[in-house]
Amino acid sequence: QLLEQGRVAFQQAVDLNRFDIDAQRRLAAYPRIRASLVQGAEREALLKQADSAYAAVSALAPTSPAVLAEWAWVDVDRGRADEARRKLDIALGMNSRHPAAQSLRQQLK
């Protein structure tokens, strides 16, 4: 229930300002978080939804290492470590000290 309340709040923020990248990024995280709670086809569908959402946010904010670092987690969850590394390398090229990108990149070595 709290997760859904959070999704609704971020959707409202996006509805008020579709250029609010932080709200867009957090809204994109919702299906990934939900996917962590389920298995099988439902999980895959949610991860695909998260992937599409992060792609849309990335198009709005192509220089955001935070978006790329979170999007890389979707790749990890989908078993696409090489694609996650690629996104993280780009994120770290933008900000070599981005903590989320650094942490996940270390885990993927």
Side-chain angles (χ1 to χ4, degrees):
Q1 184 178 354
L2 290 176
L3 186 58
E4 179 59 17
Q5 288 173 349
R7 186 199 65 76
V8 168
F10 286 120
Q11 184 62 62
Q12 289 172 341
V14 168
D15 291 346
L16 288 171
N17 178 3
R18 71 180 193 96
F19 297 108
D20 183 339
I21 300 305
D22 287 330
Q24 291 264 10
R25 181 171 56 90
R26 287 177 173 86
L27 188 59
Y30 175 79
R32 183 178 163 266
I33 294 165
R34 291 262 310 126
S36 71
L37 303 172
V38 297
Q39 305 239 347
E42 183 180 5
R43 180 178 186 277
E44 285 305 312
L46 286 164
L47 289 173
K48 185 176 181 181
Q49 183 182 350
D51 190 54
S52 294
Y54 277 113
V57 178
S58 182
L60 289 174
T63 60
S64 171
V67 171
L68 288 169
E70 288 182 23
W71 193 7
W73 270 112
V74 176
D75 291 323
V76 169
D77 290 345
R78 296 179 89 187
R80 300 174 178 176
D82 288 342
E83 182 60 20
R85 284 186 200 95
R86 187 188 71 74
K87 286 180 177 87
L88 292 167
D89 289 345
I90 294 169
L92 291 168
M94 293 178 207
N95 179 354
S96 63
R97 294 178 177 228
H98 191 278
Q102 283 181 328
S103 176
L104 183 54
R105 189 64 179 92
Q106 282 294 90
Q107 291 178 46
L108 292 176
K109 281 195 172 192

